[in-house]
Amino acid sequence: MKYPTLLERFLTYVKVNTRSDETSTTTPSTASQVEFAKNVLLPEMERVGLQNVYYLPNGFAIGTLPANDPSLTRKIGFISHMDTADFNAENISPQVIKNYDGGAISLGDSGYSLDPADFANLHNYKDQTLITTDGTTLLGADDKSGIAEIMTAIEYLNAHPEIKHCEIRVGFGPDEEIGVGADKFDAEDFNDDFAYTVDGGPLGELQYETFSAAGAEITFKGRNVHPGTAKNQMVNALQLAIDFHNQLPEEERPEKTDGYQGFFHLMNIDGTVEEAHASYIIRDFETENFEARKAMMEDIANKMNQELGAERVLLTLKDQYYNMKQVIEKDMTPVNLAKEVMEDLGITPIIEPIRGGTDGSKISFMGIPTPNIFAGGENMHGRFEYVSLQTMERAVDTIIGIVSHS
């Protein structure tokens, strides 16, 4: 179905810079997210018909659309995040390409283009309306497409009371991209039976498996002396970092894995001979493998320290989130419901694991099973990001279908 306000709503949202900041110590991590929630989202939530709209100190904007049929007793939530990823988000100037002809799309005057020779997924969108960047910023479809779709679904339901639906809870939150937004989510306040993050990619994505995730921070302590007299005296902290990395399995890196394969990902390394630092993320789907990866890093650190005769490799591990399948597989109702709705709409469900995480990973372990459904974004987190308006419309259809089937 076509929704006249969807495109303009999305364009309005993406033009607001809501990039999160992983160096921040506040939640939300940036003032722009607070301003977006209070000045843009809260007023519009009321305009589209949500009731009891409020903003929580945890950064979530919350609202409710009461059930209009007492026989539909479920409470279902829909959640999307406000922040965008670590890429330029200032002065976003989206392009709207109508009736895409299947060829390369010039991204403004940036010198970049979206070319099917590089991005084969473009072949799926011939004759559709695409929203792209101008090549200088990201787009922000991750996850402002989700916000726009939820808002549009609520607006449509409020304008069409003949469509009977259950109670709907809506939550728009901060800082998903830096992995902390859902840490302070108030599941007791949200108070629904199950929820969906509308934060997936192409048409039909339906996901209830994520990585389990941990972060590793390593400090390497060296000893610096003049290189001319360094023999048996110098301990080069940067070399220790290299030695540590070289003991991790070479084939278990993101660029060499897919499907259910986990990995170690070196995110950053810097320092001097005297002291160096490295940051890793660790990912795996299976709990046993996840724990084994952390144990491997600990074993490497311990071995190096024994060989060096001193504590020169200082490792700190921190779990970030866990595979939400552990919760959702106990009651597959939200997955089966979404699957049935998509099939009724002629959408082929794509049920695959997420090689990443969503807010639903954490919220599921708070007691609200929260699988993830498609929002439409492709090539997310950079200048080549784009989204199909027709896919966004199908996401709205899916949201309406879920709440009217309950």
Side-chain angles (χ1 to χ4, degrees):
M1 185 180 297
K2 294 187 180 299
Y3 301 94
T5 61
L6 178 57
L7 177 58
E8 190 58 38
R9 175 173 285 126
F10 175 69
L11 295 177
T12 298
Y13 293 165
V14 298
K15 290 176 184 177
V16 182
N17 181 352
T18 54
R19 180 176 171 177
S20 48
D21 178 6
E22 66 180 353
T23 67
S24 173
T25 59
T26 64
T27 300
S29 65
T30 51
S32 62
Q33 293 181 78
V34 179
E35 294 165 3
F36 181 65
K38 291 184 175 181
N39 299 333
V40 178
L41 295 185
L42 290 179
E44 186 163 13
M45 290 168 75
E46 293 181 339
R47 283 197 300 271
V48 300
L50 287 167
Q51 300 179 20
N52 189 27
V53 172
Y54 54 94
Y55 181 78
L56 290 171
N58 62 10
F60 276 81
I62 305 293
T64 302
L65 188 66
N68 62 2
D69 183 338
S71 70
L72 300 176
T73 58
R74 282 179 179 151
K75 298 178 182 179
I76 298 180
F78 293 92
I79 299 166
S80 290
H81 63 89
M82 297 179 283
D83 67 316
T84 59
D86 185 18
F87 194 84
N88 182 26
E90 193 64 42
N91 299 316
I92 292 174
S93 182
Q95 300 185 145
V96 178
I97 312 299
K98 296 182 179 180
N99 299 314
Y100 169 56
D101 64 9
I105 300 171
S106 177
L107 299 180
D109 297 325
S110 67
Y112 293 96
S113 65
L114 268 175
D115 192 328
D118 299 317
F119 303 104
N121 47 14
L122 282 164
H123 292 300
N124 299 324
Y125 297 104
K126 192 173 186 299
D127 299 324
Q128 297 190 26
T129 296
L130 301 184
I131 303 96
T132 77
T133 77
D134 69 354
T136 64
T137 68
L138 49 61
L139 179 60
D142 182 12
D143 187 27
K144 288 171 181 169
S145 59
I147 299 176
E149 290 154 6
I150 294 169
M151 285 281 207
T152 302
I154 297 297
E155 180 180 55
Y156 190 85
L157 288 168
N158 195 53
H160 293 271
E162 71 276 10
I163 301 175
K164 302 306 178 184
H165 60 81
C166 65
E167 180 176 314
I168 305 166
R169 293 283 277 164
V170 169
F172 301 128
D175 293 337
E176 190 269 354
E177 297 294 358
I178 59 174
V180 300
D183 288 348
K184 297 180 181 179
F185 180 79
D186 191 336
E188 183 176 353
D189 173 78
F190 205 59
N191 187 30
D192 59 4
D193 296 307
F194 52 83
Y196 299 89
T197 50
V198 186
D199 191 20
L203 179 69
E205 280 195 350
L206 171 58
Q207 300 151 323
Y208 68 97
E209 296 182 72
T210 62
F211 281 132
S212 290
E217 297 293 331
I218 314 173
T219 299
F220 301 92
K221 295 287 188 179
R223 182 170 59 218
N224 194 10
V225 297
H226 191 285
T229 57
K231 188 173 182 178
N232 298 326
Q233 297 184 70
M234 177 185 287
V235 179
N236 189 331
L238 286 166
Q239 184 61 52
L240 294 181
I242 294 169
D243 293 344
F244 184 98
H245 183 73
N246 286 342
Q247 293 181 70
L248 294 171
E250 183 177 349
E251 296 301 312
E252 297 180 15
R253 300 173 183 171
E255 62 269 31
K256 297 188 176 185
T257 59
D258 60 10
Y260 281 94
Q261 297 173 318
F263 57 73
F264 301 93
H265 181 28
L266 177 61
M267 297 285 289
N268 182 68
I269 185 169
D270 59 32
T272 64
V273 171
E274 192 74 26
E275 183 171 302
H277 303 271
S279 298
Y280 287 84
I281 61 172
I282 303 163
R283 301 289 189 264
D284 215 298
F285 286 97
E286 300 300 329
T287 300
E288 182 178 350
N289 294 342
F290 179 58
E291 295 300 328
R293 290 185 183 281
K294 293 185 289 182
M296 179 183 292
M297 296 194 93
E298 290 176 329
D299 290 345
I300 292 170
N302 291 335
K303 176 186 173 185
M304 289 180 67
N305 285 329
Q306 290 174 1
E307 292 173 349
L308 292 163
E311 293 292 312
R312 294 191 176 277
V313 181
L314 309 178
L315 169 66
T316 300
L317 289 164
K318 182 179 180 181
D319 287 357
Q320 297 167 328
Y321 58 84
Y322 302 105
N323 187 346
M324 60 185 176
K325 178 183 177 182
Q326 298 172 36
V327 173
I328 294 174
E329 67 180 353
K330 296 174 183 177
D331 182 356
M332 292 286 284
T333 298
V335 176
N336 293 335
L337 174 59
K339 180 175 181 289
E340 178 184 347
V341 167
M342 288 185 194
E343 290 173 340
D344 287 347
L345 291 168
I347 299 169
T348 301
I350 303 171
I351 303 177
E352 296 177 343
I354 309 173
R355 288 183 62 80
T358 71
D359 283 340
S361 304
K362 294 180 179 179
I363 293 170
S364 292
F365 281 88
M366 296 176 181
I368 301 176
T370 307
N372 188 45
I373 60 176
F374 68 96
E378 294 262 24
N379 299 349
M380 294 179 280
H381 295 188
R383 70 179 83 249
F384 300 108
E385 184 181 4
Y386 68 93
V387 66
S388 158
L389 177 61
Q390 284 72 25
T391 301
M392 293 177 66
E393 290 169 343
R394 299 297 268 162
V396 179
D397 293 341
T398 301
I399 294 168
I400 293 171
I402 287 171
V403 299
S404 59
H405 274 62
S406 302

